[in-house]
Amino acid sequence: MKFRNLFLSALCGLAVSTAFTSCSDDKYDPFEYGSNVALPEHRGLVLNEGSYQKNNASIAFFDAVMDTTTKAANDLYLIQNKKQLGDTGQDLIVEDNNIYVSVYGSSYVAKLNKAGIEQARKAFGSDLGQPRYLAECDGFIYVTTYGGYVVKLNANDLSEAGKVKVGPAAERIDEENGILYVACGSTLDGQPDKRMFIIDTKNFTDAATKSVDVCDNTQIVCATDNYVFIQGFGLDWTNTPFWVYDIKSGKAEDTGEYATYVIEGENDNKAFAVFSKTDWETYETINTYFVYDASTKTKTDVTSKITSAASALANATIYSLSEGENGSFYITTSLYSAGNGTVYHFDSNYKLLGSFTSWGQNPKKVVVM
């Protein structure tokens, strides 16, 4: 305890941007939950997908107030658990001070405590297929799988509580008001799908599961109270259509726009999206950022606001969008296997709040706890 008090005092005394604690709250313990490393009180996490079959997925941490990281590599899972996270980090969510992560290549979902120490693990065999994306509702974690299921797990111990059959390549999942929306893409062998599945968590059965046709090869669903925003890769994996599903009317329609990644915008009617158009002969990418208002069916281009704040985002390889706090959002970029990615944090007015290394390859998701 004496060492911790000295360490905390030293951190508070350092006038550096990477300080990971608040001097105003002397009750905070940077080693809480059994952490082996000093952690910021208000922390963010970056799930790095890594490179397929390289066993280099990781979870990095950063100060979510200062948008700073340590000055050395910080693989939180490795530090806390003395082993690698595994192959291909797919998704990460935070609920009730716990972290849930799906690792596609290594075929498991894990529950970690707030410090990143593993508490429980659920392995996925060939009967269910490899896990993809995660959602939480009322004490349960819902996992999509490449075996064509949405699997229901108890959030406490990750024991299986049920499963529902959907399309063969279930992808993103989102929950709103107790309803799950599930994107189903084309299979790896090219079997096409254009369905979004709709599942009531209170009636989690095959018989009660519904679907609606949307865009080909659906990948992303982003649900709000009023709409579900949907992105797909199209039949040729180059056309990236952007659709909207009206929850009240039950109708889906093509917006006529294209998007690569989509997250919820400033209210229940709006989405923030990026469309990355790449010339595969020159490998030049041009990124267009926009807000789409589903209630008025209008698009507002905000590319100049984003790129004037961070010029690299005009042509960088965008790897993900993530929602932050108070209307802020994160854009991550990738160098694929050539090096670490970069995380950019913007407020709701497109002011750049900070940028920092992801400390890993292919930053897939950013969350704040």
Side-chain angles (χ1 to χ4, degrees):
M1 184 62 67
K2 184 179 290 185
F3 170 76
R4 290 188 178 185
N5 290 338
L6 289 171
F7 187 89
L8 184 58
S9 297
L11 283 177
C12 290
L14 290 175
V16 295
S17 64
T18 55
F20 273 167
T21 188
S22 170
C23 301
S24 63
D25 184 3
D26 57 7
K27 294 182 179 180
Y28 172 66
D29 179 0
F31 296 94
E32 66 176 358
Y33 292 91
S35 179
N36 294 310
V37 63
L39 293 171
E41 182 174 8
H42 191 47
R43 76 200 59 147
L45 304 173
V46 183
L47 174 65
N48 291 299
E49 181 181 292
S51 296
Y52 183 56
Q53 295 186 331
K54 296 298 184 181
N55 197 45
N56 60 348
S58 64
I59 300 173
F61 65 92
F62 64 95
D63 187 312
V65 176
M66 303 296 292
D67 281 329
T68 53
T69 72
T70 60
K71 292 185 178 181
N74 63 56
D75 186 336
L76 182 63
Y77 186 86
L78 177 61
I79 291 170
Q80 307 292 41
N81 299 283
K82 310 305 181 187
K83 59 184 178 181
Q84 297 286 346
L85 181 63
D87 175 35
T88 319
Q90 196 66 44
D91 197 11
L92 184 147
I93 62 174
V94 169
E95 183 64 32
D96 195 26
N97 272 338
N98 292 307
I99 303 163
Y100 298 89
V101 59
S102 61
V103 188
Y104 168 73
S106 297
S107 295
Y108 75 89
V109 170
K111 173 190 175 183
L112 318 178
N113 70 7
K114 189 176 180 181
I117 299 171
E118 186 170 326
Q119 307 293 298
R121 177 180 291 217
K122 164 68 175 178
F124 283 71
S126 58
D127 57 330
L128 295 176
Q130 293 166 292
R132 299 292 284 172
Y133 293 93
L134 308 172
E136 186 279 338
C137 183
D138 295 334
F140 293 96
I141 304 298
Y142 295 88
V143 187
T144 60
T145 77
Y146 256 12
Y149 291 97
V150 176
V151 181
K152 182 179 181 180
L153 305 178
N154 286 291
N156 185 45
D157 61 5
L158 298 186
S159 58
E160 188 174 329
K163 60 179 180 289
V164 162
K165 186 68 174 176
V166 290
E171 291 287 358
R172 303 290 180 108
I173 181 172
D174 203 1
E175 180 273 335
E176 189 72 23
N177 298 322
I179 306 297
L180 301 173
Y181 300 92
V182 182
C184 283
S186 299
T187 61
L188 296 177
D189 61 5
Q191 181 182 346
D193 206 332
K194 59 164 55 179
R195 292 171 293 174
M196 178 180 73
F197 284 80
I198 303 171
I199 307 169
D200 189 336
T201 59
K202 303 299 184 185
N203 192 5
F204 191 73
T205 63
D206 288 342
T209 298
K210 303 175 182 178
S211 68
V212 59
D213 284 352
V214 287
C215 50
D216 288 310
N217 198 357
T218 58
Q219 296 291 311
I220 295 173
V221 288
C222 175
T224 72
D225 280 340
N226 301 326
Y227 300 97
V228 182
F229 299 98
I230 306 153
Q231 179 269 350
F233 281 161
L235 290 176
D236 60 1
W237 295 81
T238 58
N239 176 28
T240 57
F242 177 48
W243 282 51
V244 171
Y245 173 76
D246 187 318
I247 294 174
K248 185 176 181 179
S249 70
K251 295 181 179 179
E253 66 177 4
D254 187 353
T255 66
E257 305 295 339
Y258 297 97
T260 311
Y261 296 102
V262 181
I263 56 174
E264 185 176 348
E266 61 187 89
N267 61 46
D268 286 334
N269 298 325
K270 294 182 179 181
F272 174 73
V274 58
F275 173 48
S276 299
K277 186 175 182 180
T278 300
D279 183 329
W280 293 111
E281 292 185 359
T282 64
Y283 289 94
E284 180 184 10
T285 297
I286 299 175
N287 297 313
T288 303
Y289 303 86
F290 65 92
V291 173
Y292 187 84
D293 189 328
S295 62
T296 59
K297 300 182 181 181
T298 56
K299 166 186 168 182
T300 302
D301 191 301
V302 295
T303 303
S304 62
K305 294 181 179 180
I306 296 290
T307 56
S308 62
S311 59
L313 293 177
N315 305 105
T317 298
I318 307 300
Y319 213 74
S320 70
L321 300 179
S322 295
E323 296 171 28
E325 295 182 312
N326 302 316
S328 71
F329 58 93
Y330 297 90
I331 301 174
T332 72
T333 65
S334 173
L335 295 175
Y336 295 112
S337 61
N340 293 338
T342 303
V343 179
Y344 297 85
H345 187 198
F346 288 85
D347 71 9
S348 58
N349 294 314
Y350 312 106
K351 176 185 176 182
L352 182 65
L353 299 175
S355 63
F356 48 91
T357 176
S358 69
W359 289 119
Q361 296 173 11
N362 302 322
K364 185 81 171 182
K365 183 79 173 281
V366 181
V367 299
V368 175
M369 10 183 7

